[in-house]
C-alpha cells in the first residue's frame, strides 16, 4: 500500500484522454504576459506513428530567462528575479483539434555547466546552448516524454552544446526549432516512427 | 559566449529511477501505446541547471479548488470522501508548497468531457477538477466523491478501476509526475492494462489506504495516498560553499 514502504517512488501513469478537465489553465501558454517586448511564439503539431495529429496531448515547457538565470533556490548562482517582468519560465498548452500547441515566451539565454556533474566532459569553456526543456503528456504515454527545443539562430552555441553533441548527427535536427518569422518558431513533435523526435532520459 | 563557465561544485543531480518503477512505454496490452510510444532508445540527459530547477507555482488556485463536491447549484452526487496524504521525495524529505492537481470521473463513472459519451448520467454539480498546494509538511487534502468505474474500448468488456488522476511538480523539472490513485481491493485491477503496465511490486504504491482515523464522523470517509517523488543523489562528501 502507499504508506508501508516510504522512499519508494510513486509510479507514473498516463494522463488519459480527459486531461482537459484538470490541467489546462487560461494563462497556461503565457510564459510571459501579452505585450512583453521581445516575445516570441513557439509551437507546432504533435504527430503519432501514423502521421496523424495528436489532439489530446499536452506540452509543458521550462526554461531560463534571457540572461540564463532561474528564479529558483537550487540554482547555485542564487535565485534571481527574472530579467523580464512577469516571466514565469513555465508554459503549458494542450493540443487543439488539429494537434497544434503553442506558448508565448522570450528566448532563453545560454547556461554555464557546473563541475559536480559526473558526466561533464571537463572542457573549460563549455556552456549549454539556449534551450527549453519540454514534457509531452498524452493518452497512450505511460510516462511523460522529455525533449528539448534548441533555436536555429545559435549555430555556434548549438555545435558546442554537450547534449546536442551526444545526439547522432542525423537526428539532431528534431531538437532544433524552425524560424518561421522573426517572432515565430515551429517545433513539431513526432512521437514514433519516421523522423521520430529525439526523446531524453532524465 | 567565449567567457569561461562559472564553476561551483554544488549541483548534485537527482537519483536515477530504480528499475521496475515505471511502466515500459511500449505496452501492447494498452492499445493506445501502439502509435504513440517512441521506438528509439532515449538519449541520456545529464541533470544540469534546467533539470534541477523547475516552476515553483503557487497558482492558479481559487478558494474551494480543494473541494470538488461544491457544484454550481448544489452538492455533487455520490459517496463523499477525503483524499489526503504527504508528498515527499525518496530521501523522505517532505515537499512543501507544491501544486497538486487532480481530475476524475463522477460517481457514475462519467467524465464531464465532450468526448466521454457512454450512457452513464452526468452530474450538473460535478466538473471533476481540483487543485491544492501542499502545506509546510508536504501534506495535502481534497474533499471529493468516490469516482465510479467506467468501460473503455481497449478490449472486450474492458473497465477501468475507479481512480483519480494526479499531477505533481515537486521542486524540479526532474521530479514532475503524473499518476493515478486507486482504491483498495478493487476487483477490476486484474483486467486493467493501465494499472498492470506498472511492474508488480511498484503498482501497489498507487493504491490508497482506507484510514478510519481520518474519517470525519457523520460526514466523509477518508483515503490516504502518499506520493514519493525523485530525491537527490547522495553526495559522497559535503563541500563548504558560499
Ligand atoms: Fe481516467
Amino acid at each position: 500500500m502507499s504508506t508501508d514502504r516510504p522512499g519508494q517512488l510513486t509510479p507514473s501513469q498516463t494522463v488519459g484522454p480527459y486531461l482537459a478537465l484538470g490541467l489546462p489553465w487560461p494563462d497556461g501558454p503565457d510564459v510571459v504576459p501579452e505585450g512583453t517586448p521581445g516575445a516570441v511564439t513557439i509551437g507546432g503539431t504533435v504527430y503519432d506513428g501514423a502521421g496523424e495529429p495528436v489532439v489530446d496531448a499536452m506540452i509543458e515547457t521550462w526554461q531560463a530567462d534571457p540572461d540564463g538565470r532561474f528564479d529558483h533556490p537550487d540554482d547555485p548562482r542564487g535565485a534571481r528575479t527574472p530579467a523580464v517582468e512577469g516571466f514565469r519560465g513555465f508554459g503549458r498548452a494542450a493540443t487543439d483539434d488539429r494537434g497544434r500547441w503553442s506558448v508565448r515566451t522570450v528566448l532563453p539565454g545560454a547556461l554555464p555547466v557546473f563541475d559536480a556533474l559526473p558526466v561533464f566532459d571537463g572542457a573549460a569553456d563549455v556552456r549549454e546552448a539556449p534551450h527549453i526543456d519540454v514534457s509531452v503528456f498524452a493518452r497512450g504515454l505511460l510516462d511523460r516524454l522529455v525533449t528539448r527545443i534548441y533555436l536555429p539562430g545559435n549555430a555556434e552555441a548549438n555545435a558546442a552544446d554537450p547534449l546536442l553533441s551526444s545526439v547522432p548527427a542525423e537526428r539532431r535536427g528534431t531538437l532544433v526549432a524552425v524560424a518561421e518569422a522573426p517572432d515565430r518558431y515551429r517545433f513539431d513533435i513526432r512521437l514514433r516512427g519516421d523522423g521520430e523526435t529525439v526523446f531524453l532520459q532524465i | 559566449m567565449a567567457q569561461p563557465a562559472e564553476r561551483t561544485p554544488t549541483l548534485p543531480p537527482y537519483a536515477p529511477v530504480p528499475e521496475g518503477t515505471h511502466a515500459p512505454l511500449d505496452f501492447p496490452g494498452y492499445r493506445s501505446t501502439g502509435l504513440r510510444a517512441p521506438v528509439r532508445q532515449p538519449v541520456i540527459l545529464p541533470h544540469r541547471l534546467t533539470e534541477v530547477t523547475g516552476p515553483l507555482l503557487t497558482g492558479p488556485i481559487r478558494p474551494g479548488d480543494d473541494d470538488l463536491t461544491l457544484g454550481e447549484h448544489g452538492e455533487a452526487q455520490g459517496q463523499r470522501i477525503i483524499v489526503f496524504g504527504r508528498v515527499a521525495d525518496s530521501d523522505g524529505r517532505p515537499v512543501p508548497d507544491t501544486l497538486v492537481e487532480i481530475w476524475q470521473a463522477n460517481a457514475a463513472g462519467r467524465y464531464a468531457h465532450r468526448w466521454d459519451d457512454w450512457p452513464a448520467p452526468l452530474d450538473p454539480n460535478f466538473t471533476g477538477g481540483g487543485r491544492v498546494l501542499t502545506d509546510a509538511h508536504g501534506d495535502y487534502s481534497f474533499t471529493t466523491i468516490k469516482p465510479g468505474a467506467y468501460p473503455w474500448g481497449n478490449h472486450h468488456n474492458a473497465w477501468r478501476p475507479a481512480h483519480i488522476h494526479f499531477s505533481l511538480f515537486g521542486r524540479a523539472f526532474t521530479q514532475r509526475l503524473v499518476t493515478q490513485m486507486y482504491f483498495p481491493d478493487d476487483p477490476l485491477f486484474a483486467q486493467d492494462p493501465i494499472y498492470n503496465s506498472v511492474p508488480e511490486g511498484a503498482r501497489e504504491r498507487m493504491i490508497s489506504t482506507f484510514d478510519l482515523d481520518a474519517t470525519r464522523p457523520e460526514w466523509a470517509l477518508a483515503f490516504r495516498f502518499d506520493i514519493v517523488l525523485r530525491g537527490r543523489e547522495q553526495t559522497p562528501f559535503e563541500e563548504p560553499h558560499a
Side-chain angles (χ1 to χ4, degrees):
Chain A
M1 298 292 156
S2 62
T3 51
D4 60 3
R5 298 181 80 174
Q8 296 210 299
L9 298 183
T10 304
S12 171
Q13 292 263 271
T14 178
V15 289
Y18 306 125
L19 64 87
L21 295 180
L23 295 182
W25 312 325
D27 68 345
D30 303 341
V31 182
V32 294
E34 200 172 351
T36 298
V40 300
T41 300
I42 300 180
T45 301
V46 182
Y47 296 100
D48 70 13
E52 294 296 321
V54 176
V55 301
D56 52 7
M58 186 180 75
I59 304 300
E60 288 182 350
T61 63
W62 172 244
Q63 63 170 92
D65 75 8
D67 291 344
R69 296 296 292 253
F70 294 94
D71 188 11
H72 193 288
D74 293 344
D75 183 333
R77 300 165 297 174
R80 203 176 74 170
T81 304
V84 173
E85 183 159 352
F87 175 83
R88 194 174 59 197
F90 177 75
R92 169 185 271 186
T95 55
D96 66 14
D97 56 7
R98 290 158 66 186
R100 298 172 306 184
W101 66 278
S102 71
V103 297
R104 176 176 55 234
T105 188
V106 286
L107 298 181
L111 300 179
V113 168
F114 287 86
D115 257 353
L117 300 167
V119 292
F120 176 53
D121 66 8
D125 59 352
V126 167
R127 292 171 77 82
E128 288 192 277
H131 61 266
I132 298 173
D133 274 10
V134 174
S135 300
V136 183
F137 301 89
R139 169 177 65 84
L141 295 180
L142 287 164
D143 196 358
R144 68 168 164 162
L145 299 177
V146 170
T147 187
R148 265 189 178 186
I149 301 171
Y150 288 85
L151 296 155
N154 304 323
E156 200 176 322
N158 287 350
D161 181 80
L163 186 267
L164 266 185
S165 310
S166 74
V167 174
E170 71 278 9
R171 298 190 67 208
R172 263 174 226 160
T174 70
L175 298 181
V176 183
V178 175
E180 294 190 315
D183 63 350
R184 186 164 187 92
Y185 294 86
R186 193 179 80 237
F187 188 79
D188 294 333
I189 296 169
R190 290 182 170 76
L191 298 179
R192 179 183 180 99
D194 285 347
E196 185 175 305
T197 299
V198 170
F199 295 107
L200 306 172
Q201 181 185 320
I202 62 167
Chain B
M1 291 304 286
Q3 64 188 301
E6 297 153 57
R7 311 200 142 252
T8 322
T10 54
L11 202 62
Y14 281 77
V17 176
E19 282 286 316
T21 299
H22 295 311
L25 285 169
D26 219 337
F27 191 79
Y30 175 26
R31 279 186 15 214
S32 294
T33 61
L35 283 174
R36 295 186 168 191
V39 291
R40 311 237 190 185
Q41 281 298 110
V43 171
I44 305 289
L45 174 61
H47 299 170
R48 298 191 175 103
L49 281 168
T50 317
E51 291 72 46
V52 303
T53 57
L56 303 175
L57 302 163
T58 53
I61 295 181
R62 295 161 303 180
D65 276 357
D66 61 344
D67 189 342
L68 288 72
T69 69
L70 304 174
E72 202 176 329
H73 313 288
E75 234 196 320
Q77 297 284 336
Q79 174 81 65
R80 191 185 300 113
I81 60 173
I82 295 156
V83 173
F84 72 104
R86 177 162 291 186
V87 181
D89 69 20
S90 53
D91 300 323
R93 275 184 295 227
V95 185
D97 307 316
T98 194
L99 183 60
V100 182
E101 298 170 291
I102 64 170
W103 68 103
Q104 64 170 88
N106 71 20
R110 177 123 177 231
Y111 285 94
H113 191 289
R114 65 193 162 104
W115 292 338
D116 188 0
D117 58 1
W118 82 285
L122 282 168
D123 179 346
N125 288 315
F126 192 75
T127 52
R131 297 196 159 98
V132 77
L133 283 181
T134 59
D135 67 14
H137 309 289
D139 291 332
Y140 74 89
S141 177
F142 289 101
T143 302
T144 184
I145 51 90
K146 190 169 181 203
Y150 58 86
W152 60 311
N154 187 72
H155 57 273
H156 176 66
N157 200 21
W159 292 81
R160 291 299 329 280
H163 60 274
I164 298 177
H165 296 266
F166 270 73
S167 165
L168 294 108
F169 284 91
R171 299 170 49 79
F173 182 80
T174 312
Q175 291 184 306
R176 183 87 176 88
L177 178 72
V178 170
T179 189
Q180 299 182 23
M181 183 205 97
Y182 298 90
F183 293 87
D185 305 319
D186 196 314
L188 293 169
F189 286 147
Q191 59 76 61
D192 182 47
I194 293 182
Y195 172 74
N196 288 296
S197 67
V198 173
E200 194 174 3
R203 61 177 78 122
E204 300 78 7
R205 299 172 205 158
M206 302 187 291
I207 306 174
S208 57
T209 49
F210 174 66
D211 189 331
L212 187 64
D213 292 338
T215 291
R216 278 188 223 146
E218 322 229 358
W219 183 250
L221 298 176
F223 293 86
R224 171 180 271 275
F225 183 51
D226 293 330
I227 297 165
V228 180
L229 306 176
R230 290 174 74 175
R232 294 297 187 105
E233 190 104 75
Q234 299 299 322
T235 40
F237 55 89
E238 288 291 324
E239 212 174 31
H241 57 267

